[in-house]
Amino acid sequence: MEFSHVSVMLAECIDALAIKPDGIYVDGTCGGAGHSSEIAKRLTTGRLIAIDRDPDAIAVATKRLAPYPQATVVHGEFADLPEILDDLGIDTVDGILLDLGVSSYQLDNEERGFSYHKDAPLDMRMSKSGRSAYDIVNEESAEELTRILREYGEERFAFAIAKNIVKRRQEHPIETTGQLVDLIRNTIPAAARREGGHPAKRTFQAIRIAVNSELDQLSRCLERAFDRLAPGGRFAILTFHSLEDRMVKQKFADMAKGCICPPDFPVCVCGRTAVVDLVTKKPILPSEEELSVNSRSKSAKLRVCQKK
Ligand SMILES: C[S@@+](CC[C@H](N)C(=O)[O-])C[C@H]1O[C@@H](n2cnc3c(N)ncnc32)[C@H](O)[C@@H]1O
Ligand SMILES: [Zn+2]
């Protein structure tokens, strides 16, 4: 299957990184190398480290970045950024880009089991290894399933869906995306089903986040990446739902915060200094034009900060 994915806010991301031809850049989610190719072609003596956890994406990115000797493709997770840089003998970098979530390739490739529009085995593993959606749906307790659907999907009917999953799987394991979609359809009341898009959207998002430890990956990266940014280095993150965006917004704001001593203290006792300047006070959103040609950009938000 052809790897097709239209890069979201491509020009905005490239602008956000303020690329220097001799700088070192990390694309932590290189996917089909859309953003990565644009970064690589702007480098002369610089370097691009293109990371993805999906072996299919790595195969495609390796091919697409072959014309650029500046690029090194790494199969790994962006939470391990410090270890990846250590292995390459790189201390600090001039920019990091994360374009979170799934690629259109992953969504459209039905055997990967990400899509509620296609009937396929329940899988959803970006890395094609570890626990799959099947394992979570068929093994987790009703309490844990409720938590997953509520926390990661903000699903109002989390408890009812979890209860029905547990009931159904006592008869037979839930094996396919289609079976899960039917169960969700039969659980959510008809009135609620008519609002808020596809009834399975929130559950599928939640299970995908759980399968791929997406929030944990993001939080570990946010904890560890700032130390590896050179002074003046940019950190640009594209998020696609409110849970991710909230984490990025709060972390960037926290890193941009200097002294927090009360104003009447004669000297600072908290010892805090700001680590970054916010480049975007409010997130950058896709243009009307992009929205009209790429529906996947609809929920995208780009936040950028710069190391002091
Ligand atoms: C939205 S796509 C990126 C598309 C890419 N920017 C482009 O323009 O072609 C997200 C990619 O990030 C990868 N990914 C998601 N979480 C990851 C993680 N924690 N570590 C490494 N790669 C990850 C996915 O496998 C997927 O290929
Ligand atoms: Zn202070």
Side-chain angles (χ1 to χ4, degrees):
M1 182 183 157
E2 176 64 15
F3 194 112
S4 75
H5 174 90
V6 181
S7 299
V8 173
M9 285 202 256
L10 184 55
E12 291 87 343
C13 289
I14 298 302
D15 266 5
L17 291 171
I19 297 170
K20 298 182 288 184
D22 60 348
I24 305 180
Y25 295 87
V26 173
D27 182 348
T29 52
C30 74
H35 293 94
S36 275
S37 305
E38 290 299 318
I39 298 171
K41 69 168 70 141
R42 285 167 173 75
L43 302 175
T44 52
T45 56
R47 223 174 145 184
L48 167 70
I49 316 304
I51 303 168
D52 206 290
R53 58 173 18 176
D54 183 340
D56 291 358
I58 288 298
V60 173
T62 303
K63 249 194 220 144
R64 293 194 179 159
L65 292 171
Y68 306 103
Q70 307 91 316
T72 305
V73 179
V74 178
H75 183 212
E77 295 179 334
F78 57 63
D80 295 330
L81 181 77
E83 289 79 7
I84 291 171
L85 294 181
D86 287 347
D87 283 349
L88 295 167
I90 296 170
D91 181 19
T92 58
V93 301
D94 301 289
I96 302 171
L97 174 68
L98 299 181
D99 171 13
L100 298 172
V102 275
S103 65
S104 309
Y105 168 79
Q106 288 166 331
L107 270 178
D108 296 343
N109 188 342
E110 58 182 66
E111 71 200 35
R112 305 292 302 263
F114 282 103
S115 172
Y116 43 79
H117 292 302
K118 300 183 171 124
D119 193 18
L122 268 177
D123 191 328
M124 304 197 201
R125 293 171 299 178
M126 291 179 182
S127 64
K128 293 182 145 186
S129 65
R131 287 185 87 207
S132 67
Y134 176 94
D135 298 325
I136 291 192
V137 165
N138 289 290
E139 287 169 10
E140 290 298 352
S141 65
E143 292 72 29
E144 180 59 5
L145 286 169
T146 305
R147 183 194 71 80
I148 289 171
L149 301 192
R150 206 169 264 156
E151 266 181 41
Y152 304 157
E154 300 177 285
E155 171 57 67
R156 254 196 308 155
F157 300 100
F159 178 69
I161 296 170
K163 207 173 76 180
N164 275 346
I165 287 176
V166 172
K167 196 166 137 209
R168 182 73 50 85
R169 77 190 189 195
Q170 278 162 359
E171 295 150 24
H172 198 273
I174 300 166
E175 288 171 332
T176 68
T177 49
Q179 290 165 2
L180 184 59
V181 169
D182 286 345
L183 181 145
I184 297 164
R185 257 209 197 98
N186 292 331
T187 307
I188 296 182
R193 248 185 288 138
R194 281 190 285 273
E195 54 193 58
H198 195 288
K201 185 172 167 217
R202 289 173 299 277
T203 297
F204 271 60
Q205 172 184 301
I207 295 174
R208 194 199 83 205
I209 290 175
V211 166
N212 296 290
S213 309
E214 290 180 36
L215 301 183
D216 181 53
Q217 280 283 315
L218 179 58
S219 111
R220 281 177 55 215
C221 186
L222 287 172
E223 272 316 306
R224 311 179 76 205
F226 289 95
D227 283 347
R228 306 306 287 256
L229 266 182
R234 294 276 180 105
F235 199 173
I237 310 188
L238 257 179
T239 64
F240 290 87
H241 55 77
S242 56
L243 297 167
E244 290 170 341
D245 183 56
R246 206 173 305 141
M247 285 169 66
V248 174
K249 179 182 168 179
Q250 283 172 359
K251 184 67 185 179
F252 280 12
D254 187 47
M255 299 303 275
K257 208 185 308 170
C259 167
I260 49 167
C261 296
D264 56 341
F265 274 30
V267 289
C268 168
V269 293
C270 76
R272 274 190 67 123
T273 49
V275 175
V276 300
D277 290 313
L278 295 181
V279 177
T280 52
K281 300 254 166 1
K282 292 225 160 73
I284 302 174
L285 305 177
S287 64
E288 289 296 325
E289 196 192 338
E290 179 165 3
L291 287 168
S292 68
V293 293
N294 185 6
S295 62
R296 219 187 67 83
S297 70
K298 206 169 62 197
S299 49
K301 288 185 177 170
L302 175 64
R303 294 188 187 267
V304 189
C305 66
Q306 175 166 348
K307 187 102 178 256
K308 284 199 172 272

